[in-house]
């Protein structure tokens, strides 16, 4: 009898409830049990897991590694998919292997390259992948200089943190004065240059931003599955142009993504994002973790989360080509169960639960539109 696979996701995005669903519906018909931890007791991933715990707050990266190792030993984790403190965790891969746990994450060298967007842009440019023009700025004067240079070239300027994920901190610069126009309709990413400069000059410490031209659609996120031998097993692009989304395996998107994944050893799951700069696709960002929208590849007849777990367990699926490309689609929000109280549920057979059991889910929460159900167009 084939043993169950025990998978742990730590403090992950709400979208990964779908990642968990796909693991359970794997084509190998293998029993999968999922452990989840989070700092938010109302995270949908806690309700979706077989066992769940609240994570302690305020742990240093080193202390979190010790916490994670303890979780893996006590829970019998076979595959750990780390998001929080990924870089500290992968630096201790040997310790996790000694505990019987495979890390579904790249090696520390690869993670380090893509933690800082400036280092990442310099590195991928060196292997021939196009990147947009960019400036690293820390002061108001540096920001103004970069914005003026971009505007002289006919571009709109935008900025984002040099380190970060999920589009947090992304803003587009405008010189239009603040007015009632900016208070009508929904909030936008546009910010007035004079307000940003004033905030920077009054700040107690410098920022660390990347300033670049605003890139145009389509946006294509290429999901890659790469083995420990640095060979890509699967690469499919998910395109986004306004509300419309679709899939692509065109070389202009997939070839540079493969070059990055193989060249930097982005083992297991990575997500490499491109947009248009003029007529040229250029790199926008690289995520060394599963993308929130990874589950959408099920519309192409592939279960990528399960392929990744197989690879982590040493069960190499070989090169995988999607049997077809799904039709264009859009995403909508949908409800997911939550625990009726703030303490996550434990499975009945847990011998030493850290938290008491609670009744079955009774409330629901809406998972964000980026993670939602997919509907055809």
């Amino acid at each position: 009898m084939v043993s169950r696979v025990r998978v742990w996701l730590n403090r992950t995005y709400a979208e990964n409830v779908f990642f968990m669903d796909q693991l359970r519906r794997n084509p190998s018909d293998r029993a999968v049990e999922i452990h989840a931890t989070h700092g938010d007791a109302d995270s949908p991933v806690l309700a979706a897991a077989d066992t769940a715990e609240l994570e302690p707050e305020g742990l240093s990266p080193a202390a979190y590694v010790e916490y994670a190792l303890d979780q893996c030993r006590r829970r019998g984790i076979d595959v750990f998919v780390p998001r929080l403190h990924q870089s500290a965790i992968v630096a201790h891969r040997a310790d996790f292997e000694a505990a019987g746990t495979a890390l579904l994450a790249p090696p520390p060298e690869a993670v380090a390259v893509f933690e800082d967007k400036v280092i990442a842009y310099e590195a991928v440019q060196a292997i021939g992948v196009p990147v947009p023009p960019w400036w690293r700025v820390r002061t108001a004067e540096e920001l103004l200089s970069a914005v003026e240079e971009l505007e002289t070239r006919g571009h709109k300027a935008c900025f984002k943190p040099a380190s970060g994920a999920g589009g947090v901190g992304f803003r587009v610069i405008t010189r239009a004065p603040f007015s009632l126009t900016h208070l009508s309709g929904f909030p936008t990413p546009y910010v007035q240059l004079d307000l940003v400069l004033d905030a920077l000059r009054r700040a107690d410490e410098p920022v660390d931003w990347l300033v670049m031209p605003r890139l145009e659609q389509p946006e294509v996120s290429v999901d890659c599955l790469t083995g420990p031998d640095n060979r890509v097993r699967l690469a499919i692009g998910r395109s986004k142009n306004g509300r419309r989304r679709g899939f692509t395996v065109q070389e202009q998107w997939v070839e540079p993504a493969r070059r990055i994944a193989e060249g930097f050893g982005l083992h297991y799951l990575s997500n490499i994002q491109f947009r248009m700069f003029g007529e040229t696709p250029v790199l926008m960002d690289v995520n060394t973790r599963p993308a929130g929208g990874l589950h959408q590849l099920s519309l192409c007849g592939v279960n990528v989360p399960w392929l990744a777990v197989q690879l982590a367990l040493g069960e190499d699926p070989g090169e995988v080509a999607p049997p077809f490309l799904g039709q264009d689609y859009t995403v909508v929000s949908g409800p997911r169960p939550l625990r009726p109280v703030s303490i996550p549920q434990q499975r009945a057979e847990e011998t030493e639960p850290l938290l008491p059991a609670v009744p079955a889910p009774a409330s629901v929460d809406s998972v964000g539109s980026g993670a939602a159900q997919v509907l055809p167009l």
Side-chain angles (χ1 to χ4, degrees), residues 110-345:
V111 173
V113 169
F114 297 103
E115 282 186 313
D116 185 301
K117 291 179 174 59
V118 170
I119 294 173
Y121 277 14
E122 291 174 340
V124 300
Q125 197 169 24
I127 65 169
V129 174
V131 300
W134 53 268
W135 289 258
R136 188 171 207 157
V137 306
R138 293 184 170 89
T139 66
E141 289 66 34
E142 290 176 345
L143 174 67
L144 181 59
S145 176
V147 170
E148 289 177 341
E149 178 67 23
L150 281 168
E151 290 178 341
T152 298
R153 300 183 192 183
H155 302 299
K156 288 182 180 179
C158 63
F159 64 86
K160 58 186 176 182
S163 298
V168 175
F170 172 80
R171 298 293 187 273
V172 181
I173 292 289
T174 177
R175 289 183 182 264
F178 187 78
S179 67
L180 287 177
T181 301
H182 297 98
L183 300 178
S184 62
F186 293 102
T188 75
Y190 283 86
V191 292
Q192 285 65 42
L193 177 61
D194 57 337
L195 297 180
V196 179
L197 293 173
D198 182 59
L200 284 174
R201 290 172 178 138
R202 290 187 289 106
D204 294 331
E205 54 188 38
V207 297
D208 188 8
W209 289 344
L210 200 66
V211 176
M212 56 195 294
R214 185 180 185 185
L215 303 175
E216 300 303 322
Q217 292 185 328
E219 178 180 320
V220 175
S221 295
V222 182
D223 295 304
C224 292
L225 175 65
T226 308
D229 58 359
N230 294 346
R231 183 167 56 86
V232 169
R233 306 299 198 270
L234 174 77
I236 305 175
R238 290 181 287 111
S239 63
K240 180 168 63 174
N241 199 338
R243 183 185 293 272
R244 181 170 292 272
R245 305 190 179 203
F247 304 101
T248 180
V249 290
Q250 290 181 346
E251 283 296 298
Q252 66 174 336
W253 310 108
V254 173
E255 189 278 330
R258 283 179 172 270
R259 199 185 315 172
I260 292 170
E262 294 182 342
F264 295 98
L266 294 179
H267 301 168
Y268 305 110
L269 291 171
S270 60
N271 177 256
I272 303 171
Q273 302 170 357
F274 301 90
R275 273 196 176 223
M276 299 298 295
F277 180 59
E279 300 298 316
T280 305
V282 295
L283 179 71
M284 185 170 67
D285 208 354
V286 175
N287 294 310
T288 60
R289 54 168 176 78
L294 182 68
H295 67 281
Q296 294 162 9
L297 294 185
S298 63
L299 296 178
C300 298
V302 287
N303 185 328
V304 184
W306 178 245
L307 291 171
V309 166
Q310 283 185 298
L311 197 55
L313 292 172
E315 303 166 6
D316 195 337
E319 284 203 31
V320 179
F324 52 85
L325 294 182
Q327 71 179 89
D328 286 359
Y329 64 101
T330 189
V331 294
V332 295
S333 297
R336 295 289 299 200
L338 290 181
R339 302 262 67 86
V341 294
S342 61
I343 300 176
Q345 182 179 6

Side-chain angles (χ1 to χ4, degrees), residues 8 13 23 27 55 57 59-60 66 78 80 93 103 143 191 216 218 224 238 274-275 284 314 316 318 334 345 358:
W8 173 28
Y13 303 112
L23 288 182
E55 291 189 358
E57 295 292 341
L59 294 182
S60 68
E66 291 303 315
D78 299 300
F80 177 20
R93 187 179 299 270
L103 295 182
L143 174 67
V191 292
E216 300 303 322
C224 292
R238 290 181 287 111
F274 301 90
R275 273 196 176 223
M284 185 170 67
D316 195 337
Q345 182 179 6
V358 296

